Structure formats: structure tokens, C-alpha cells
Amino acid sequence: DIIKEQNRELRGTQRAISRDRAALEKQEKQLELEIKKMAKTGNKEACKLLAKQLVQLRKQKNRTYAVSSKVTSMSTQTKVMNSQMKMAGAMSATAKTMQAVNKKMDPQKTLQTMQNFQKENMKMEMTEEMINDTLDDIFDASDEEEESQDIVNQVLDEIGIEISDKMAKAPSAARGLPSASASTAGTISDEEIERQLKALGVD
């Protein structure tokens, strides 16, 4: 990768500049010691020459700071460019994927599929509603029949507690319809039935 190679070169350059600066700082200290030594001996000419060297050396040292700053800036720019290239690559891949998807997706076909789904869903809901209504009618009718039969059985049980034995002894042809020839012990009069119904609160 070109960018990685450039980053390695920039890091190598930065280390080389740091080594040069360290060497210049070492020379700077030596020159300062020499200047002090010449000053003590009163050698003004030597002090002037050494001072000029010291000025040049310090200028060179300052240049290393400027170059180092430039290298750091270049390294930062390289990293930014690398990041931008990665983002551009990701966007390019995404665009290609979107293009492929758009080619495979037919808007008209997709719309038709959605409409068909909605239509079939409505049919299914209508069918389900019709089935539920039919089942409700069946169960409601069954419940009403059972409830009606329960009421009849309850009334018959409440009345039949007293008349079941007598009805069992009554002639089959005259069951429920008392005849004039039937014995008084084997039949129940209308008055007695009405009396028991009134006692139960049934008019």
C-alpha cells in the first residue's frame, strides 16, 4: 500500500531529524563551554569565531524544528487522505450494491406484488370473519337451545317432584290430558297444576 509506505518513510525521516537535533544540541553545549573557556583566557578572536559557529548551529537546530513540524503535518495529511480514500471506497462499494439492487428490483413488479398481497390479505380477513360469524351463530343457537332446555327441565323438575309418580301411573293415552273416566287418584286436575304454577310464580 502506497500510503503505508509513505507513512513509514515519514516516520523514518522524523527519527533522523530528531537524531540530528540531538547531535546539534550536543555541539551547542560544547561550543558554549569553549566560548566560556576562551573568555576566561581573554582570547577575544577565538570567542568571536566560536560565537559565530554557535549562532549558525542554533539556526540549524531551529531549522530541524521547522522541518520536523512539516513532516508531522505531512504525516497527518497522509492519514487524513488515507481515511478519505477508505470512505470513498466504502461509498463506491455501497453505490455498486445499490445499483445492483435497483437493477434487480422492478418498481412495477414490486407495486403489483404489494397490491396482490393487500388483495389476498383482505380476502383472508373476509373469509376469517365469515367463518367466525358462522361459528358464532352455531354456538349462539346451541347455547340458546341448551338454555331454553335447562329452563324447561328446571320447571318440570320443580313441578314434577309432586306429579311424576302420579303421571307414571296415569294411562298413556290420557297423559297430560285428564279424562272424565280416569280415577281421581291417577290424574291431576287443571286446578292443581295451576296452583303449583302460581306457587312457582309462573302465570
Side-chain angles (χ1 to χ4, degrees):
D1 184 40
I2 297 176
I3 294 179
K4 289 183 178 180
E5 182 65 26
Q6 289 179 346
N7 284 330
R8 282 195 292 269
E9 291 180 359
L10 289 173
R11 287 194 296 269
T13 302
Q14 192 73 276
R15 287 192 294 268
I17 293 171
S18 297
R19 287 194 298 268
D20 290 342
R21 186 185 306 115
L24 290 172
E25 289 175 349
K26 186 177 180 180
Q27 292 180 17
E28 182 182 8
K29 291 179 180 180
Q30 291 177 350
L31 282 174
E32 289 175 352
L33 292 175
E34 287 292 329
I35 292 171
K36 290 178 180 180
K37 184 178 179 181
M38 293 296 103
K40 287 181 180 180
T41 60
N43 192 341
K44 293 182 180 181
E45 293 297 328
C47 286
K48 289 180 181 180
L49 292 174
L50 292 174
K52 289 180 181 180
Q53 293 179 14
L54 180 61
V55 170
Q56 293 298 324
L57 190 145
R58 286 178 176 175
K59 286 182 180 181
Q60 182 62 27
K61 188 179 71 172
N62 290 333
R63 292 192 188 100
T64 63
Y65 284 112
V67 173
S68 178
S69 177
K70 186 64 177 179
V71 171
T72 301
S73 177
M74 291 175 61
S75 177
T76 302
Q77 289 177 354
T78 302
K79 291 178 181 178
V80 171
M81 290 178 61
N82 187 28
S83 176
Q84 291 176 345
M85 290 177 63
K86 288 181 179 179
M87 287 191 293
M91 292 174 66
S92 175
T94 303
K96 290 180 180 179
T97 302
M98 293 173 66
Q99 289 175 356
V101 172
N102 287 331
K103 286 181 180 179
K104 292 183 179 180
M105 288 184 63
D106 184 358
Q108 293 296 331
K109 187 176 181 180
T110 303
L111 179 61
Q112 184 178 0
T113 300
M114 294 175 65
Q115 291 176 343
N116 291 337
F117 172 81
Q118 185 176 8
K119 186 186 299 182
E120 296 303 322
N121 187 51
M122 291 178 63
K123 288 182 180 179
M124 186 173 63
E125 290 178 354
M126 292 176 62
T127 303
E128 182 181 3
E129 185 176 356
M130 291 173 61
I131 293 174
N132 289 335
D133 290 344
T134 303
L135 291 174
D136 289 341
D137 292 341
I138 293 173
F139 287 116
D140 288 345
S142 177
D143 292 341
E144 290 178 0
E145 182 178 355
E146 291 179 1
E147 184 178 357
S148 176
Q149 186 63 38
D150 289 341
I151 294 174
V152 172
N153 290 337
Q154 181 180 357
V155 174
L156 290 177
D157 287 342
E158 291 173 351
I159 299 175
I161 292 175
E162 299 180 4
I163 67 176
S164 58
D165 292 338
K166 296 180 181 180
M167 289 182 68
K169 295 176 182 179
S172 59
R175 183 171 300 173
L177 295 174
S179 64
S181 61
S183 63
T184 305
T187 59
I188 300 176
S189 64
D190 292 338
E191 291 79 5
E192 185 177 354
I193 293 176
E194 290 179 0
R195 179 181 59 79
Q196 293 182 10
L197 288 173
K198 288 181 180 180
L200 293 172
V202 180
D203 295 332

